[in-house]
Amino acid sequence: MARSVAAHREAVQELLSGLGGPRSTEVVPLMAALGRVLAVDVLAPLSLPPFANSQMDGFAVRAADLAPNSENDDGAELTVVDPVPAGAAPAKLLPGSAAPIMTGAMMPEGADAVVPIEQAVPGVFPLPGTETTVRLPSVRPGTFVRDAGSDISAGTVALRSGTTLGPGQLGLLAALGLGSVEVRTPLRVLLVPTGDEVVEPGSALPPGKIYDSNGTLLEAAMAQAGLHVTRTGVSGDDPSALLDLLRSHTGEVDLVVSTGGVSKGAYEVVRQAMDNQPVEFVSVAMQPGGPQGIGTFDGVPFLGFPGNPVSCLVSFEMFLRPALTAVLGSPSARIALRALLTERLTSPSGKHQVRRGTLLPDGTVRLEGGPGSHLIHALANSNALVQVPEDVTELEAGAEVEVWML
């Protein structure tokens, strides 16, 4: 009897559970940390902004100087003093004066508001050194002022341990003056494509052969998920050669993933090579990606994915990626949304079907290609995986489905 998708996902999570303990860490430059996982809480060494600054080009003022009264119900005439460009340390602002100030420039001591240049009369900045006045409307204290620490205060947690570092997180660390960051060492994965029929891209293509897309497809998916991938060349259908290849790397990796050779055909090299290893070959009630291998090779967790390219990626997304999220906290789970089908589909009874599709701006999802596991062009033109539960055999156009964003 075929194993359910949920049961196999749980089995993969259990297989990887031993990898969830404390991992070694390393300190790397910020750009080298892109996609990596933060190893420690980061406390802000300074406040952001580090000083009160102007949100607009305008005039820094004391709001009290412009407060309405019996003689002044529409602002006041103030003396213009030296300008404050961004990056300068300004002089104290005296009562009755206004300092031309640029966006991002430090607020002078004594100033508590900014009047935009568009509200000034005249509505232009005077030339430096010119003795002049400017008429400004009344303004409340704090207007167009970015207070020190209004984004984050010094000493508070900027990022939590376990955060995956993307552009926004790295930008924050840079804004805090940090040039490097402590991250977890990534999980090390050995990726082994197999098959006599497969040749490396860039070489000549003999009759009956195909180019290996699985290696590139899975290495890219794994690297994007924050894994460190060691990818071998394509291993042929000789079990002893495959064993030698695996044993030349297994002492250096945390996980082994192979592609191909896990079905019930006559030349299933992975099945043959794992004959004396605690590896189970099962049929999962899923289309594509039904044949799966799971166990350990010489004590190292092992997953055997099918050989068709779409099956490889679906296996990664349905089983390995969620298990990594559960055990390690990264990568982040795929975003699951609800969408309406633009067309009718059918699905085999008793199998969870995973179709490729494009989520459109109007909330509908267009299927890309058919259900076949070889349709890599359709995969390349998709932005989502359409989930069809195993108890559903057909859905009409307009039916609601769950989609996982890629």
Side-chain angles (χ1 to χ4, degrees), residues 97-169:
S97 60
I101 191 167
M102 305 304 113
T103 302
M106 178 184 285
M107 291 290 291
E109 181 185 349
D112 59 6
V114 173
V115 179
I117 183 64
E118 294 84 0
Q119 298 177 16
V121 179
V124 293
F125 291 122
L127 294 174
T130 303
E131 292 186 7
T132 186
T133 61
V134 63
R135 184 165 189 82
L136 301 172
S138 59
V139 66
R140 294 180 179 275
T143 300
F144 296 124
V145 175
R146 301 167 178 153
D147 291 330
S150 55
D151 188 6
I152 185 172
S153 299
T156 60
V157 177
L159 293 172
R160 293 286 184 189
S161 174
T163 300
T164 299
L165 299 173
Q169 292 76 30

Side-chain angles (χ1 to χ4, degrees), residues 133-370:
T133 61
V134 63
R135 184 165 189 82
L136 301 172
S138 59
V139 66
R140 294 180 179 275
T143 300
F144 296 124
V145 175
R146 301 167 178 153
D147 291 330
S150 55
D151 188 6
I152 185 172
S153 299
T156 60
V157 177
L159 293 172
R160 293 286 184 189
S161 174
T163 300
T164 299
L165 299 173
Q169 292 76 30
L170 294 177
L172 171 60
L173 296 176
L176 291 170
L178 302 176
S180 60
V181 62
E182 186 174 353
V183 294
R184 298 176 188 167
T185 54
L187 199 71
R188 302 166 300 168
V189 182
L190 176 65
L191 176 59
V192 187
T194 70
D196 277 346
E197 77 281 12
V198 182
V199 297
E200 294 284 358
S203 60
L205 189 66
K209 306 287 188 179
I210 60 172
Y211 286 120
D212 171 44
S213 60
N214 292 346
T216 298
L217 187 65
L218 280 179
E219 182 179 4
M222 291 174 176
Q224 195 176 62
L227 307 181
H228 176 78
V229 184
T230 298
R231 175 177 159 190
T232 71
V234 177
S235 178
D237 287 338
D238 179 353
S240 62
L242 176 57
L243 286 171
D244 290 343
L245 177 64
L246 292 174
R247 289 190 169 123
S248 69
H249 290 282
T250 47
E252 308 162 357
V253 297
D254 304 301
L255 172 66
V256 176
V257 176
S258 68
T259 71
V262 296
S263 298
K264 297 180 179 179
Y267 302 100
E268 302 301 328
V269 64
V270 174
R271 275 182 174 264
Q272 296 170 15
M274 298 294 157
D275 189 48
N276 294 317
Q277 297 284 336
V279 174
E280 181 182 12
F281 292 91
V282 299
S283 177
V284 177
M286 183 175 76
Q287 182 194 56
Q292 297 284 332
I294 181 170
T296 60
F297 176 80
D298 289 355
V300 179
F302 170 85
L303 293 174
F305 290 164
N308 280 311
V310 179
S311 297
C312 280
L313 185 72
V314 168
S315 298
F316 173 80
E317 293 292 343
M318 297 296 289
F319 303 127
L320 181 51
R321 185 185 176 99
L324 293 171
T325 301
V327 173
L328 302 177
S330 65
S332 57
R334 289 298 190 190
I335 296 174
L337 303 173
R338 306 296 295 184
L340 303 180
L341 288 171
T342 61
E343 62 195 272
R344 183 177 183 272
L345 66 74
T346 60
S347 183
S349 177
K351 287 191 177 182
H352 182 115
Q353 189 181 69
V354 184
R355 295 288 295 269
R356 279 65 66 203
T358 298
L359 183 67
L360 302 172
D362 63 359
T364 63
V365 60
R366 181 185 66 230
L367 299 179
E368 301 288 352

